[in-house]
Amino acid sequence: MLVFGPMRDLENQDKVHWMRAFSSLEEQTQLKKDFYEGPVWNKEVEPVAMSMIEEFCAEFTETTDGFEGFQSEAL
């Protein structure tokens, strides 16, 4: 999974965006399950992060034919 963010919204300084890219829907499903059912989210992130979120929106998109982006070496 590639993670891009946090990115500050140019029209609303209180809004933050994150983008995650996966190689397939199957990978997205498994990684999401592993993370949100895991100890880091449940014991460290969720108790702090959820109290700061006023609104949450998730959208799924896919690349179009010939799109060459989102390729990166591991950091």
Side-chain angles (χ1 to χ4, degrees):
M1 168 176 47
L2 296 175
V3 178
F4 304 92
M7 296 174 280
R8 178 83 55 199
D9 190 294
L10 294 176
E11 295 177 354
N12 180 347
Q13 68 179 359
D14 294 327
K15 186 185 279 187
V16 177
H17 299 269
W18 292 84
M19 185 184 319
R20 298 179 290 180
F22 302 89
S23 62
S24 67
L25 286 176
E26 293 80 14
E27 179 188 55
Q28 185 271 345
T29 300
Q30 186 61 50
L31 289 174
K32 182 178 173 183
K33 178 182 180 296
D34 292 346
F35 179 73
Y36 288 109
E37 292 179 8
V40 172
W41 174 259
N42 285 301
K43 293 181 180 177
E44 298 176 35
V45 179
E46 193 271 344
V48 175
M50 296 309 288
S51 66
M52 294 187 288
I53 296 174
E54 182 177 315
E55 180 181 341
F56 174 84
C57 176
E59 298 178 1
F60 286 90
T61 62
E62 67 181 349
T63 58
T64 56
D65 290 340
F67 184 71
E68 303 293 330
F70 292 101
Q71 301 210 6
S72 171
E73 294 181 21
L75 299 176

